[in-house]
């Protein structure tokens, strides 16, 4: 949808929201609700992260009354969430800050929508916590008591006709600022690791409750530094509670985060060592040092070598892709090799020896790659 169909006052609110909301948001679709001005976009669906899932709220402005506050329509699964009628105890009496925010709406202040949605999300978290607290499950009540002192925990009670009730917790782990540990960090939002804990609701006593379903989840950009999928969770022992489980997990995770940060410099030293054999790299990832591209030659045949390094480097050797600078396919694209992962390598070598062995391997591989390029070009 083109931005020039969105009224300027609404567009300003949306742009501020995208740049200042503390969590990454998505706008799923935009449409017009006006009978008289059907080309004016004044409504959109906002996808908001919550408890490692998403909630979808419709934000409905009125193009025919552009100075009015928007209506917020919540999802059908949250029909009992009524934030605009709930009260916040202020000591002397009751004062509804949300009602005041809407009553004193200033459409020329681009921060108003962001502030409104932040408070709504906070109230939604409180609403879900009260739902979980009301569940008649002794094991859940005990776990809640042991975890209440931890900050930032989110929870969600899900139920339905076709599925059993369960309670999901999103527990933030590793209380360190990962962003600040990486020079030149490009991340706009703080990168975090969570433990997703799923408890089935059991309304009868069990002497040995079943272990909860556990899964590590991270914010999406963190994969440039650390692969959560490669981390093995500690075993859950019968009779254990989350208060016992979390300290061991956090200790292990913090060490792995620190190791992952230190491996950036290991990859950087390898990229620097390539200069001794290939010359200065044409391109290299300056922050996480996960990729680099160099020029190689065999006689008059020149080609590019793309190095793709995983977070497990140097334990896992780089994958190589060769790209001819002289051969092109029928679509005009340079001919490339398949991913190459089988060549001499040891994680115990010094970076200079690693680079040298790759250089020696490519001296032989260049002949095979040139032959491959010639055959591919004839097809």
């Amino acid at each position: 949808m083109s931005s020039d169909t969105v009224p300027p006052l609404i567009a300003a609110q949306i742009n501020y929201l995208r740049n200042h909301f503390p969590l990454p948001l998505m706008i799923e679709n935009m449409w017009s609700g006006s009978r008289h001005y059907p080309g004016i976009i004044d409504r959109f669906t906002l996808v908001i992260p919550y408890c490692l899932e998403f909630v979808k709220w419709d934000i409905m402005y009125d193009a025919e009354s552009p100075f009015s506050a928007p209506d917020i329509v919540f999802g059908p699964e949250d029909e009992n969430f009524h934030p605009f009628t709930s009260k916040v105890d202020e000591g002397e009496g009751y004062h509804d800050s949300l009602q005041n925010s809407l009553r004193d709406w200033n459409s020329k202040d681009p921060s108003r929508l962001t502030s409104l949605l932040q408070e709504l999300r906070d109230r939604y978290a409180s609403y879900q916590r009260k739902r979980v607290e009301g569940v008649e499950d002794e094991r859940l009540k005990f776990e809640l008591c042991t975890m209440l002192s931890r900050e930032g925990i989110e929870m969600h009670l899900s139920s339905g006709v076709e599925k059993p009730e369960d309670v999901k917790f999103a527990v933030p782990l590793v209380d360190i600022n990962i962003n600040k540990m990486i020079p030149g960090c490009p991340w706009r939002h703080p990168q975090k690791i969570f433990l997703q804990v799923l408890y089935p609701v059991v309304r009868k006593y069990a002497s040995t409750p079943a272990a909860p379903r556990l899964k590590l989840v991270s914010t999406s950009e963190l994969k440039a530094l650390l692969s959560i999928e490669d981390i093995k969770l500690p075993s859950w022992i019968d009779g254990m509670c989350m208060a016992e489980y979390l300290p061991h997990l956090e200790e292990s995770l913090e060490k792995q985060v620190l190791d992952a940060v230190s491996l950036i410099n290991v990859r950087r030293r390898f990229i620097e060592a390539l200069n001794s054999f290939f010359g200065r790299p044409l391109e290299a990832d300056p922050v996480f040092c996960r990729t680099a591209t160099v020029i190689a030659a065999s006689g008059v045949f020149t080609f590019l070598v793309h190095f793709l390094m995983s977070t497990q480097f140097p334990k896992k050797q780089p994958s190589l892709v060769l790209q001819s600078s002289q051969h092109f396919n029928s679509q005009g694209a340079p001919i490339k090799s398949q991913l190459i992962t089988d060549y001499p390598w040891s994680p115990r070598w010094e970076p200079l020896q690693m680079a040298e062995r790759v250089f020696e391997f490519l001296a032989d591989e260049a002949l095979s790659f040139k032959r491959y390029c010639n055959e591919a070009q004839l097809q």
Side-chain angles (χ1 to χ4, degrees):
M1 195 66 65
S2 59
S3 59
D4 60 356
T5 59
V6 180
L9 290 176
I10 299 177
Q13 298 273 350
I14 293 174
N15 288 334
Y16 189 94
L17 177 67
R18 282 172 163 158
N19 292 323
H20 293 87
F21 200 79
L23 296 167
L25 302 170
M26 292 184 292
I27 292 179
E28 193 167 76
N29 53 60
M30 304 178 78
W31 73 97
S32 174
S34 173
R35 289 185 300 173
H36 302 293
Y37 307 103
I40 301 298
I41 303 302
D42 58 358
R43 301 176 181 200
F44 57 93
T45 299
L46 196 63
V47 183
I48 303 172
Y50 177 74
C51 201
L52 304 178
E53 301 288 347
F54 298 93
V55 292
K56 295 182 180 181
W57 297 344
D58 289 338
I59 315 300
M60 308 181 74
Y61 285 94
D62 184 352
E64 297 171 30
S65 181
F67 297 104
S68 300
D71 290 327
I72 313 289
V73 179
F74 307 106
E77 68 280 3
D78 293 316
E79 60 183 1
N80 295 319
F81 177 46
H82 304 296
F84 296 104
T85 58
S86 62
K87 301 294 181 181
V88 179
D89 191 354
E90 292 276 329
E92 292 290 322
Y94 291 97
H95 171 71
D96 195 327
S97 57
L98 278 177
Q99 291 286 8
N100 270 4
S101 176
L102 296 177
R103 185 169 51 248
D104 301 332
W105 187 263
N106 179 1
S107 60
K108 295 182 179 180
D109 180 355
S111 68
R112 283 303 181 95
L113 178 62
T114 300
S115 299
L116 174 64
L117 289 172
Q118 282 182 274
E119 183 158 0
L120 279 173
R121 191 185 181 283
D122 289 343
R123 292 205 180 190
Y124 184 76
S126 298
Y127 159 74
Q128 286 291 347
R129 172 170 287 215
K130 286 179 181 177
R131 293 184 71 214
V132 172
E133 289 171 345
V135 174
E136 293 300 323
D137 182 321
E138 293 304 317
R139 195 259 186 91
L140 268 177
K141 290 182 181 294
F142 174 74
E143 292 286 12
L144 267 175
C145 289
T146 66
M147 290 194 289
L148 281 178
S149 61
R150 296 181 67 96
E151 292 186 4
I153 292 180
E154 294 183 346
M155 57 194 76
H156 183 271
L157 171 65
S158 65
S159 58
V161 177
E162 299 180 357
K163 56 177 284 189
E165 280 186 309
D166 58 50
V167 172
K168 181 184 295 179
F169 292 92
V171 185
L173 303 170
V174 187
D175 189 21
I176 54 178
N177 190 326
I178 300 175
N179 295 43
K180 287 189 175 179
M181 299 171 69
I182 302 170
C185 176
W187 298 325
R188 283 180 55 194
H189 298 284
Q191 298 301 300
K192 296 182 179 180
I193 302 172
F194 299 87
L195 181 66
Q196 184 183 80
V197 187
L198 193 68
Y199 287 103
V201 173
V202 180
R203 298 186 183 276
K204 59 183 180 180
Y205 174 76
S207 58
T208 308
R213 295 205 295 274
L214 305 174
K215 181 183 177 182
L216 279 180
V217 181
S218 72
T219 39
S220 60
E221 293 172 305
L222 191 64
K223 63 184 179 183
L225 174 70
L226 179 68
S227 176
I228 290 297
E229 292 76 15
D230 293 335
I231 296 176
K232 185 178 180 181
L233 285 169
S235 299
W236 180 277
I237 301 170
D238 287 347
M240 181 178 270
C241 69
M242 290 306 300
E244 296 172 293
Y245 185 81
L246 290 173
H248 300 291
L249 173 59
E250 286 195 300
E251 182 180 350
S252 170
L253 265 181
E254 185 167 334
K255 180 180 183 303
Q256 292 184 69
V257 169
L258 295 174
D259 287 345
V261 172
S262 69
L263 285 177
I264 294 176
N265 284 328
V266 176
R267 295 192 292 270
R268 178 174 284 112
R269 289 197 298 272
F270 171 71
I271 292 174
E272 290 169 348
L274 294 175
N275 182 61
S276 299
F277 302 94
F278 297 94
R280 186 182 180 88
L282 293 179
E283 294 179 343
D285 170 9
V287 179
F288 301 103
C289 302
R290 295 281 305 276
T291 61
T293 298
V294 299
I295 295 179
S298 176
V300 295
F301 175 51
T302 59
F303 56 98
L304 302 181
V305 184
H306 303 288
F307 291 82
L308 312 173
M309 286 170 274
S310 78
T311 56
Q312 299 297 310
F313 180 95
K315 182 179 180 181
K316 185 176 180 181
Q317 67 202 86
S319 298
L320 309 178
V321 175
L322 312 186
Q323 175 184 322
S324 175
S325 59
Q326 300 166 348
H327 300 80
F328 303 87
N329 61 23
S330 57
Q331 285 78 42
I335 295 176
K336 294 182 180 181
S337 71
Q338 299 294 319
L339 215 59
I340 300 172
T341 56
D342 185 15
Y343 57 89
W345 183 266
S346 169
R348 293 181 293 275
W349 291 340
E350 290 297 316
L352 203 62
Q353 186 178 4
M354 292 175 178
E356 182 180 16
R357 296 300 291 270
V358 172
F359 180 78
E360 291 171 351
F361 166 78
L362 289 173
D364 295 329
E365 186 67 18
L367 299 176
S368 299
F369 180 53
K370 182 179 180 181
R371 187 164 51 251
Y372 169 79
C373 291
N374 288 332
E375 292 170 356
Q377 202 168 34
L378 292 174
Q379 294 176 0

